[in-house]
Amino acid sequence: MQVYEKVRKYLYENIGHLTTPGTPRFDIKTKTWKVPVLCKTERGILIVGEFALDKDGHFINIPTKQEMLKTAKIEVSKLPFLFYGVKRELEHKGIKAVTI
């Protein structure tokens, strides 16, 4: 089974449909596959974890659901918000208006 498909199957069965594997990359020094975990959030798609597999595709490290949820929460809190409104309304709410 390919590395990507193995991680995809694990995520679907154990974590949920809002996660998917990113592009696998092989680390020649450690002879391991690294596969990032992407999570769809209300603020965009974020990297929330990383699987490690040996050269034969056996899991070495699997991030837990709790670790990925914590990472997602932290990363979402760092993202800027986009507010639409008139300048006076935004200033009243303490939001610095920026023209895009």
Side-chain angles (χ1 to χ4, degrees), residues 82-99:
L82 181 60
F83 292 97
Y84 294 99
V86 296
K87 185 176 181 181
R88 188 174 354 154
E89 177 188 4
L90 296 175
E91 288 173 348
H92 178 71
K93 293 182 179 183
I95 300 170
K96 182 180 177 185
V98 177
T99 305

Side-chain angles (χ1 to χ4, degrees), residues 21-79:
T23 303
R25 55 191 196 286
F26 189 73
D27 185 332
I28 296 173
K29 288 183 180 181
T30 61
K31 296 187 180 357
T32 57
W33 286 98
K34 304 290 184 175
V35 184
V37 178
L38 307 176
C39 180
K40 183 178 179 183
T41 72
E42 71 277 359
R43 305 283 300 284
I45 297 173
L46 304 171
I47 297 174
V48 296
E50 183 176 74
F51 280 74
L53 296 90
D54 66 18
K55 63 181 177 149
D56 299 318
H58 300 106
F59 289 121
I60 297 171
N61 182 56
I62 299 172
T64 66
K65 186 173 186 175
Q66 291 76 21
E67 290 170 339
M68 290 188 277
L69 287 170
K70 182 177 179 181
T71 300
K73 184 176 180 180
I74 290 168
E75 293 302 314
V76 164
S77 72
K78 294 178 185 178
L79 295 174

